[in-house]
Amino acid sequence: MTSHQIRQAFLDFFRSKEHLIVPSAPLVAKNDPTLMFNNSGMAQFKDFFLGNGTPPSRRIADTQKCLRVSGKHNDLEDVGFDTYHHTMFEMLGNWSFGDYFKKEAISWAWELLTEVYKLPKDRLYVSVFEGNEADGVPFDQEAWDLWKGIVGEDRIILGNKKDNFWEMGDTGPCGPCSEIHVDLRTPAEVAEVSGKSLVNNDHPQVVEIWNLVFMQFERKADGSLIPLPSTHVDTGMGFERLCMAIQQKTSNYDTDVFQNTIQVLETLSGKKYGQNDEPFADIAMRVISDHIRAVSFAITDGQLPSNVKAGYVIRRILRRAVRYGYSYLGFQEPFFHKLVPVLAEQFKDVFTELKDQEEFVTRVILEEEKSFLRTLESGLKRLDSITSGLKEKGINTIPGDEVFELSDTFGFPVDLTALIAREKSFQIDETGYQDALAEQKKRSRQDAAKEATDWIELREYDGVEFLGYDFEETHSHIVKYRKVKTKTGEEYHIVLDRTPFYAEMGGQVGDTGVLVLGSSGDAKTVNIVDTKKENDLFVHISRDKNLDEALSGAGIITAKIDIDRRNKIKANHTATHLMLSSMREVLGTHVSQKGSFLNDEVLRFDFAHFSKVTDEELRKIEDRVNEKVRENIALDERRNVPIQQALDAGATATFGEKYGDFVRLIIFDPKFSFELCGGTHVPSTGEIGVFKFISEGSVSAGVRRVEAVTGEKALELMRQQEETLNKIKDLLKGPTDLIKAVESLIDERSTLQKRIAALENEKIQALKTTLVENMETHSTFNLIVQKVDVPSADSLKQLSYELRDQVENLIAVFGAEIGGKPQLSVFIAENLVQETGLNAGKIVKDLAKDIRGGGGGQPFFATAGGSDASGLDTALEKAKGLF
Ligand code: ATP
Ligand code: MG
């Protein structure tokens, strides 16, 4: 079976068991404060398990793009070194939301593996949770009995809490799990050692392929467990490992999932996978063919490499790949981006989004590679200078903080530093490095530290009703709240059953406003400073103090948003739509959204485009937007349109956004602006007033950023500019032609500078004459020691050099006060330097002590600056005594 057929067979199997097949959520996790990337199939369904929403079906199956490179699941360091852990992998999964439980989950898993995929039964082992006394959770008898009926007792292994008890997080749903392991060794190996003893022992050919989780408890903040009202199933099977087992390989990289990429790498490098003397060359090929998937799909789903957070994670993966190529496959030039087309082709029917953005992804990777290859070189130089410095001191260990700096500043992974160090007969202080790293991690953890109490549930509810498209004020109930300690203080998170507050999403900031509790006589107003989404929950955030009593005792409340602020936000959101359409007209249809942020003051928009947007283009876009504003086009909003219908009609969607089956369309003239959008918009474009760009620049390779303002803000901006101009006019005494006046000011300045230079020169010439007249002549040398009045430190040099041409065997020491700061210079004729060994550099350093300064230079000319001008005379007196 090919990998395509294997994936399809999984989906078909569960479809036949009445599962709804859904698309993968984007790799990049949105609206989940605990995750950067989706790291398991269940991530997109969290809300259903938490009871915050209702699934479209009680049985669902899919293949989910997962990334395990940060946080709780981080497999990065194993990738390439072993043959079955990836950064990005596909997790095949089937779910029951309060529907079937252990019996069906177990028997279907067995049926699929042994009857559809025909994996040999005597090569499969399963594990069952042994129980945990401290948690009060018993041995999973039910799963044991079910498996016993299928595989017999001797193929079952008992597992502990670490391997066989799954938890969503510190709190929330959890339960025992049952894993299925496969033994892929040769018959001879199997005869020698039983596979059972190798399960969960990191053997590369005895690996876990499927994990069946049975959610039946909820963990509370105090650590206790309570039974869930309804039980769920969550399973995850590693697609690449499954392919290895079915295709009878011993490594995931030998399956057709990776072979295409590896073949291109072989052609590019001239090396053959599996036939390299250099052991790291094979590792490098695995690393690269793995990492290109993670990087390409992350960029496709909207996560560009950058210096912070999720963007930095992607940049590090990319650099890890590039440096393996550089060190072990001889790639001195960018190569990594050349693998994108292979991947795009391979996944064109599964994850079509990569094919759609192939060119963009390729360019972003190319630019990243180029810039890393530049730092790679400077990092190598830095490492060189560190090692030669240490060598002088007879030390052969590179200190931990240097290793850390190399990784932090130059993006040098530690193993690269260690390897190069070894080549130079050095080692690295691994412990010191770990300490520096831990210190940094601690700092960033402290930055992010948040401590939440359990939700205090006040009433039952069935998901939040968002009414903010139609109302600015609603009557609502508080359904739950909790207190959260953040770095800056304490917050209340409040959830309502119905709300007019828009929660931050799709670049639009959350609403602010008030909740009015109680009736008019003793009403209490709670200020809401922000509204955020946590998965599907709308969380209203208040920083008011001591709200517990008021919140828990509240009956019907009034929720009101700040209307003025919302209106400005709306104008900016609609303007963003008009701007995107105008950009596509002016710059081309390759322009797609890469990021967006808008509040009541400004709109910021990142988009794919490869060159600077010229002033002329900006003006054209601006003109077009303002034209549409003046046309005063009415909003045409359509809710609950089936997604396919919307896309077929040509609506613009943003890559990496997760859309439901039904979407909302925002149309301002169907021929002009037609987008899938959940934001709030003005009823007609005239309300925008006016649209004005304020900046244009680059964010990263292939991505530009513009900022613009609308309405009142735009007017404010124009007023400010007008004021600046008026001020300049006033300063210039109101000339009729302002530009001409400034030009002539600049001309005048340059003429004056020239005249000053000429005057200074004259002064130096006169000074020279007096100096020569007062010179001390000795038999072997002529001495001038003098405090002089010159305009700049450069003049001391000019003076010394010109005197040299005039006087033989000259020694000249000058002191000067320039702009309140003391300066010294020492000149010694070169023949004297040769004959006597006198050294201007050393002398000036010594003299500089009197002016509390330092300096240096060459043996024949040197200068020093200081901070204490009162010491100049002493220094010059001292100089006289030296010769
Ligand atoms: P392992 O112990 O092998 O790392 P796990 O316990 O972390 O696996 P789960 O979190 O249960 O795995 O994930 C479910 C399935 O996903 C696993 O059975 C495995 O087939 C697959 N899987 C997990 N991590 C990876 C990875 N880094 N690369 C490829 N497949 C993986
Ligand atoms: Mg793991």
Side-chain angles (χ1 to χ4, degrees):
M1 273 176 127
T2 66
S3 57
H4 266 79
Q5 291 164 334
I6 293 171
R7 186 189 294 107
Q8 198 54 50
F10 179 89
L11 300 175
D12 290 346
F13 178 84
F14 282 102
R15 192 180 283 121
S16 79
K17 308 284 184 208
E18 289 156 53
H19 285 62
L20 174 73
I21 308 302
V22 303
S24 170
L27 200 52
V28 184
K30 300 233 165 90
N31 296 329
D32 185 342
T34 64
L35 275 188
M36 281 189 194
F37 303 101
N38 278 315
N39 59 8
S40 65
M42 62 74 60
Q44 67 161 319
F45 304 122
K46 258 187 178 176
D47 269 326
F48 306 148
F49 296 122
L50 291 166
N52 298 336
T54 321
S57 160
R58 292 171 75 185
R59 298 180 181 187
I60 287 183
D62 71 1
T63 178
Q64 170 67 45
K65 295 178 272 187
C66 295
L67 193 58
R68 292 198 166 179
V69 290
S70 57
K72 179 175 153 203
H73 288 293
N74 188 345
D75 294 333
L76 184 63
E77 293 304 319
D78 287 329
V79 174
F81 287 83
D82 76 17
T83 49
Y84 60 104
H85 277 100
H86 301 296
T87 52
M88 184 200 137
F89 64 99
E90 284 178 64
M91 196 185 280
L92 302 168
N94 58 292
W95 285 272
S96 152
F97 303 103
D99 191 37
Y100 62 83
F101 204 44
K102 296 181 192 178
K103 181 162 154 277
E104 293 82 350
I106 288 176
S107 65
W108 287 339
W110 191 254
E111 183 187 336
L112 176 65
L113 292 180
T114 59
E115 282 166 37
V116 178
Y117 293 138
K118 307 228 174 329
L119 290 179
K121 294 178 182 166
D122 61 350
R123 292 303 189 95
L124 295 171
Y125 294 90
V126 301
S127 65
V128 167
F129 182 50
E130 64 183 9
N132 183 290
E133 236 172 77
D135 273 343
V137 183
F139 158 64
D140 192 353
Q141 185 73 47
E142 194 184 351
W144 173 275
D145 291 342
L146 288 164
W147 279 123
K148 191 175 143 186
I150 297 176
V151 296
E153 278 187 22
D154 56 341
R155 310 199 76 81
I156 309 179
I157 292 136
L158 283 183
N160 58 19
K161 184 172 166 184
K162 179 180 142 278
D163 285 326
N164 283 71
F165 195 81
W166 179 92
E167 313 215 19
M168 188 184 280
D170 294 340
T171 58
C174 53
C177 58
S178 218
E179 301 162 344
I180 304 174
H181 297 256
V182 63
D183 182 354
L184 300 169
R185 295 171 304 151
T186 61
E189 287 169 318
V190 172
E192 211 163 291
V193 182
S194 107
K196 191 174 176 182
S197 67
L198 297 174
V199 166
N200 273 335
N201 266 325
D202 294 334
H203 190 292
Q205 270 103 52
V206 185
V207 295
E208 174 191 330
I209 51 171
W210 203 345
N211 194 356
L212 317 177
V213 177
F214 311 119
M215 282 183 217
Q216 55 190 115
F217 303 108
E218 182 187 348
R219 180 150 338 249
K220 309 297 283 180
D222 67 5
S224 62
L225 290 178
I226 57 165
L228 281 176
S230 57
T231 55
H232 315 288
V233 171
D234 154 27
T235 87
M237 171 151 63
F239 171 65
E240 299 75 10
R241 292 187 193 178
L242 176 67
C243 291
M244 157 169 78
I246 297 173
Q247 296 178 357
Q248 300 180 354
K249 307 286 185 194
T250 51
S251 153
N252 287 1
Y253 296 91
D254 294 341
T255 66
D256 63 343
V257 183
F258 290 94
Q259 276 300 309
N260 295 339
T261 324
I262 290 182
Q263 274 158 22
V264 176
L265 265 179
E266 287 180 336
T267 314
L268 291 173
S269 67
K271 292 184 168 32
K272 270 245 155 291
Y273 179 62
Q275 299 171 20
N276 286 300
D277 297 335
E278 156 67 270
F280 275 89
D282 286 342
I283 293 176
M285 285 194 176
R286 291 199 287 270
V287 165
I288 294 165
S289 61
D290 172 278
H291 289 11
I292 189 64
R293 293 160 35 105
V295 172
S296 301
F297 280 104
I299 297 175
T300 303
D301 282 349
Q303 187 53 66
L304 291 161
S306 76
N307 257 342
V308 288
K309 297 187 184 155
Y312 189 54
V313 174
I314 299 306
R315 176 167 284 169
R316 270 188 9 234
I317 300 176
L318 187 146
R319 291 185 167 188
R320 192 168 184 263
V322 172
R323 92 98 176 145
Y324 271 95
Y326 182 92
S327 298
Y328 306 111
L329 301 178
F331 292 127
Q332 311 285 316
E333 298 292 324
F335 68 97
F336 197 44
H337 63 286
K338 294 185 185 156
L339 303 174
V340 176
V342 199
L343 221 54
E345 183 60 28
Q346 182 174 332
F347 285 97
K348 68 172 191 285
D349 301 323
V350 190
F351 304 123
T352 50
E353 55 275 22
L354 181 54
K355 187 82 196 159
D356 295 342
Q357 296 185 79
E358 183 180 332
E359 193 201 341
F360 173 72
V361 174
T362 307
R363 304 238 347 211
V364 170
I365 296 180
L366 171 64
E367 293 303 323
E368 277 285 316
E369 277 192 89
K370 282 193 200 155
S371 92
F372 180 53
L373 285 169
R374 282 195 295 270
T375 33
L376 193 60
E377 258 166 54
S378 40
L380 288 172
K381 275 194 196 130
R382 170 95 186 105
L383 193 51
D384 257 349
S385 87
I386 294 172
T387 48
S388 47
L390 291 171
K391 196 172 270 166
E392 272 179 25
K393 292 185 201 144
I395 301 172
N396 68 351
T397 304
I398 304 177
D401 50 352
E402 301 273 19
V403 179
F404 178 75
E405 194 215 300
L406 277 163
S407 90
D408 206 40
T409 321
F410 296 97
F412 258 48
V414 215
D415 43 352
L416 174 64
T417 307
L419 181 86
I420 303 169
R422 257 202 313 281
E423 287 166 8
K424 295 165 173 283
S425 306
F426 274 84
Q427 55 189 33
I428 63 166
D429 174 6
E430 180 77 41
T431 327
Y433 166 75
Q434 292 299 347
D435 289 348
L437 189 68
E439 188 54 38
Q440 191 206 38
K441 279 200 183 136
K442 199 167 114 199
R443 279 196 303 272
S444 60
R445 251 202 318 276
Q446 275 165 353
D447 283 349
K450 267 197 179 180
E451 217 179 284
T453 60
D454 280 334
W455 286 104
I456 295 167
E457 316 261 353
L458 300 178
R459 47 195 304 140
E460 296 272 319
Y461 86 122
D462 192 20
V464 63
E465 205 181 337
F466 173 63
L467 298 171
Y469 294 140
D470 307 305
F471 299 97
E472 287 148 352
E473 186 176 323
T474 61
H475 290 302
S476 316
H477 290 97
I478 299 176
V479 294
K480 57 182 176 180
Y481 76 89
R482 70 177 176 198
K483 256 197 264 191
V484 176
K485 269 198 203 117
T486 69
K487 221 175 56 178
T488 46
E490 207 168 69
E491 293 176 352
Y492 281 88
H493 288 180
I494 305 163
V495 177
L496 308 178
D497 56 353
R498 33 200 339 244
T499 181
F501 285 75
Y502 184 86
E504 182 179 329
M505 192 181 40
Q508 178 176 334
V509 290
D511 278 325
T512 61
V514 293
L515 307 182
V516 184
L517 278 42
S519 52
S520 53
D522 55 352
K524 178 174 176 62
T525 305
V526 174
N527 295 299
I528 300 300
V529 294
D530 199 358
T531 313
K532 286 209 159 97
K533 267 197 142 188
E534 210 175 294
N535 304 304
D536 278 345
L537 225 52
F538 279 54
V539 179
H540 304 76
I541 300 174
S542 177
R543 304 224 169 89
D544 292 359
K545 302 261 178 278
N546 304 324
L547 292 178
D548 294 72
E549 201 178 318
L551 292 176
S552 43
I556 291 189
I557 64 156
T558 310
K560 285 189 210 174
I561 61 167
D562 177 339
I563 300 169
D564 182 46
R565 180 169 175 275
R566 164 74 87 78
N567 283 340
K568 290 176 179 160
I569 295 172
K570 278 183 182 168
N572 280 342
H573 203 149
T574 303
T576 306
H577 284 208
L578 303 183
M579 181 184 72
L580 175 58
S581 299
S582 306
M583 280 179 161
R584 291 166 68 97
E585 283 182 2
V586 174
L587 304 175
T589 48
H590 62 278
V591 170
S592 61
Q593 174 171 341
K594 287 294 155 204
S596 163
F597 169 82
L598 58 100
N599 59 18
D600 52 332
E601 305 212 315
V602 69
L603 66 95
R604 186 185 304 146
F605 190 73
D606 298 347
F607 56 102
H609 184 60
F610 296 108
S611 54
K612 188 174 165 53
V613 187
T614 64
D615 288 346
E616 197 191 328
E617 287 166 334
L618 284 174
R619 177 143 319 159
K620 269 194 194 152
I621 298 165
E622 223 171 65
D623 281 348
R624 189 72 174 135
V625 175
N626 284 308
E627 212 175 288
K628 292 290 166 187
V629 169
R630 288 189 302 270
E631 276 177 35
N632 199 19
I633 309 164
L635 164 67
D636 176 359
E637 180 209 13
R638 303 196 193 154
R639 298 183 197 167
N640 294 318
V641 181
I643 177 135
Q644 205 48 50
Q645 191 182 322
L647 295 174
D648 290 347
T652 310
T654 302
F655 292 114
E657 278 306 327
K658 182 181 162 223
Y659 296 104
D661 295 337
F662 293 91
V663 294
R664 178 166 171 262
L665 289 177
I666 294 295
I667 307 166
F668 289 97
D669 178 354
K671 285 194 274 332
F672 186 69
S673 170
F674 188 171
E675 291 197 41
L676 262 59
C677 177
T680 60
H681 289 272
V682 292
S684 58
T685 59
E687 289 194 15
I688 295 170
V690 61
F691 169 89
K692 184 90 192 72
F693 279 121
I694 52 175
S695 73
E696 191 279 342
S698 144
V699 198
S700 63
V703 181
R704 310 291 304 178
R705 168 174 293 174
V706 286
E707 287 183 315
V709 288
T710 63
E712 249 177 69
K713 267 278 158 201
L715 187 64
E716 209 177 281
L717 178 79
M718 289 178 229
R719 293 244 168 86
Q720 268 171 13
Q721 285 168 346
E722 191 181 40
E723 233 169 75
T724 314
L725 273 182
N726 285 340
K727 226 176 221 153
I728 297 173
K729 266 190 203 154
D730 280 354
L731 287 170
L732 294 175
K733 309 266 178 302
T736 37
D737 188 336
L738 185 60
I739 295 178
K740 221 182 200 162
V742 174
E743 276 169 357
S744 75
L745 208 62
I746 294 169
D747 277 352
E748 204 174 302
R749 184 166 181 273
S750 110
T751 318
L752 286 175
Q753 273 170 338
K754 279 185 204 138
R755 279 186 57 193
I756 291 172
L759 284 172
E760 277 171 2
N761 194 34
E762 265 172 40
K763 196 170 151 195
I764 285 178
Q765 298 315 319
L767 183 59
K768 246 167 53 188
T769 320
T770 10
L771 288 174
V772 174
E773 278 167 14
N774 297 325
M775 176 168 74
E776 271 179 44
T777 44
H778 297 261
S779 59
T780 51
F781 64 93
N782 297 308
L783 180 66
I784 303 174
V785 177
Q786 189 66 52
K787 193 163 161 187
V788 292
D789 180 14
V790 291
S792 71
D794 261 354
S795 323
L796 291 180
K797 187 171 179 182
Q798 187 192 345
L799 195 58
S800 307
Y801 281 28
E802 286 187 16
L803 283 167
R804 166 186 68 185
D805 296 341
Q806 216 173 311
V807 181
E808 288 196 330
N809 300 328
L810 175 70
I811 295 178
V813 181
F814 295 124
E817 212 178 305
I818 294 156
K821 291 261 157 72
Q823 277 281 339
L824 285 167
S825 75
V826 177
F827 174 85
I828 301 168
E830 289 207 43
N831 57 312
L832 292 178
V833 172
Q834 306 272 330
E835 289 155 19
T836 63
L838 282 171
N839 184 323
K842 282 191 184 146
I843 294 172
V844 93
K845 258 190 206 143
D846 189 33
L847 299 179
K849 288 178 195 152
D850 288 316
I851 56 167
R852 284 208 271 130
Q858 288 147 295
F860 70 93
F861 183 73
T863 56
S867 56
D868 181 10
S870 69
L872 266 180
D873 290 332
T874 330
L876 292 176
E877 262 329 294
K878 197 189 265 171
K880 278 186 190 146
L882 287 176
F883 305 101

